Amino acid sequence: MDIAAVAIAVTGVAGTLGAALLTQRGAERNKRRELELGQVFQERRENLALRRGCYTQLYRDARQFATALSRHLHVLRDRTPGEEDVRALEEAKDTHRNHWSEALMVAPDAVIAPGGEVNMALTRVYATVKRLEQGDPQPGETLHSAGEAQHELWPLIKVMRHAMRQDLGVGGEF
């Protein structure tokens, strides 16, 4: 047998086996990349769903808290608030606070900033309403000034909603 023929045969077999091995490794690498991309896509989808749910609750609760403050101011104008009136306001405040805490963990800074303004404004109006309810207002605090402050919540809530929609990719005008 000719050594050259053996060398060519060995080279041919080695090349064939090597090509199969390289093809298999390439396929495994592509499959691994495909799985990683699928996982990244799934995580992004889950994160988006989490933020969407959180934003929906926070937006709804901010509106409900603002509305509860308005109702409480109307009650204060007409009569002394009863237990049910106080409880309704406290529940709206607590619900908003809980969802605001959740948003702080999942929302980007572009949403946290306007959300923080809404939260601070709601807290300020709430504090004023409670001082008025208890008959211990600070200088200049009246039912009228509290009503004006409560009315100023709505544009802030609208800005927060816009930031949330932008983050979710829902864009659009105010």
Side-chain angles (χ1 to χ4, degrees):
M1 207 194 250
D2 186 355
I3 292 187
V6 171
I8 292 172
V10 169
T11 304
V13 170
T16 302
L17 293 175
L21 182 62
L22 289 174
T23 302
Q24 182 181 0
R25 282 189 178 171
E28 287 173 0
R29 188 172 38 247
N30 287 338
K31 184 66 172 175
R32 190 171 39 251
R33 267 192 247 155
E34 192 177 301
L35 290 172
E36 288 170 359
L37 287 175
Q39 185 177 4
V40 167
F41 180 75
Q42 181 64 25
E43 287 172 3
R44 286 182 181 168
R45 187 181 327 159
E46 289 171 1
N47 185 280
L48 180 65
L50 175 67
R51 289 192 334 268
R52 181 182 297 120
C54 177
Y55 294 170
T56 299
Q57 292 173 332
L58 182 60
Y59 176 65
R60 180 195 63 225
D61 294 340
R63 291 176 52 84
Q64 288 179 341
F65 189 13
T67 301
L69 287 164
S70 178
R71 286 183 189 137
H72 208 75
L73 284 168
H74 286 293
V75 168
L76 287 172
R77 287 183 187 117
D78 297 340
R79 61 182 166 78
T80 301
E83 281 184 41
E84 188 174 308
D85 300 313
V86 172
R87 185 173 43 254
L89 179 59
E90 294 302 315
E91 286 175 2
K93 175 189 63 88
D94 291 344
T95 301
H96 170 73
R97 183 190 63 221
N98 291 341
H99 288 120
W100 172 240
S101 296
E102 181 183 352
L104 287 171
M105 296 295 112
V106 299
D109 291 343
V111 173
I112 296 298
E117 289 183 35
V118 169
N119 187 58
M120 287 188 304
L122 284 164
T123 300
R124 279 193 302 270
V125 174
Y126 171 80
T128 300
V129 167
K130 292 308 277 186
R131 284 190 293 271
L132 289 167
E133 177 187 300
Q134 296 165 1
D136 189 26
Q138 292 183 351
E141 288 183 336
T142 64
L143 287 173
H144 181 73
S145 68
E148 288 178 343
Q150 186 279 334
H151 184 71
E152 292 170 6
L153 294 170
W154 297 107
L156 296 174
I157 292 171
K158 187 175 182 180
V159 169
M160 179 183 72
R161 182 195 73 206
H162 179 72
M164 291 172 176
R165 289 174 54 85
Q166 288 293 108
D167 181 50
L168 295 173
V170 182
E173 297 299 317
F174 274 81

